[in-house]
Amino acid sequence: RDPMRRLTPLIVLVIAAVSFLAFRPSTTTNASAVEGVWKAVHVTTAAGEEIERTTPNLMIFTATHYASVRTNQPPREQLPDDPTDEQLLAAWRPFNASAGTYEVQGNEIHAKVIVAKDPNSTAEQRENTSTFEVDGDTLIRTFGGGAVVRYTRVE
């Protein structure tokens, strides 16, 4: 019996396994890949404007929940011991926050807002969907309107 004939199925299997490992994409799209603490570092708006994110912000994903907090304009002034309503509003206006649940389906994050600074978000039980990819310590999310946010892992 020809020994090569017996080895042919094994050779095909080895070549297929090596090819799979060698040519698989470097990005990850499973739910555990987004778990952790992230900081937005760059935004491309839907209109194509490029913005380096330097204001304080955090995006936190646990296994099933998320929380997002950020300020939209630096610097926020320190408040005096007895701030006026105008000073409180000036400090509050650039601050944004939301938290809720999420699930990953393929390369999509489906987030449902439970609590947010904007009461309309929770009254409408707003759901947000974004596509994502993770490459090492970089998370890139693309939102429905075309905005793209690049995050780096901070934990």
Side-chain angles (χ1 to χ4, degrees):
R1 203 170 228 220
D2 182 11
M4 281 305 287
R5 188 170 215 152
R6 284 187 299 186
L7 289 177
T8 301
L10 179 61
I11 292 170
V12 170
L13 181 62
V14 168
I15 290 172
V18 169
S19 297
F20 173 76
L21 293 173
F23 297 107
R24 67 186 173 143
S26 64
T27 56
T28 306
T29 58
N30 64 33
S32 65
V34 300
E35 286 184 44
V37 181
W38 302 89
K39 177 182 178 181
V41 294
H42 188 268
V43 176
T44 303
T45 67
E49 180 183 4
E50 302 284 333
I51 303 168
E52 293 302 315
R53 257 330 238 154
T54 58
T55 56
N57 69 85
L58 286 177
M59 183 78 195
I60 302 168
F61 287 103
T62 68
T64 57
H65 290 78
Y66 79 91
S68 174
V69 292
R70 68 182 185 280
T71 58
N72 291 326
Q73 64 186 44
R76 293 190 328 155
E77 294 183 25
Q78 296 292 314
L79 291 171
D81 290 338
D82 189 21
T84 66
D85 287 346
E86 185 176 290
Q87 290 169 319
L88 288 170
L89 184 58
W92 183 247
R93 190 172 277 140
F95 176 79
N96 284 295
S98 69
T101 61
Y102 81 99
E103 62 180 43
V104 170
Q105 296 173 352
N107 71 333
E108 293 183 337
I109 296 173
H110 299 271
K112 183 175 182 180
V113 179
I114 294 174
V115 62
K117 176 188 171 191
D118 175 6
N120 295 344
S121 294
T122 55
E124 299 168 4
Q125 293 295 296
R126 185 173 295 164
E127 292 188 29
N128 300 308
T129 298
S130 63
T131 60
F132 78 97
E133 62 183 71
V134 176
D135 190 2
D137 287 336
T138 301
L139 167 65
I140 300 171
R141 293 180 70 191
T142 303
F143 294 88
V148 178
V149 181
R150 188 177 71 223
Y151 302 84
T152 60
R153 191 179 294 277
V154 295
E155 57 181 6

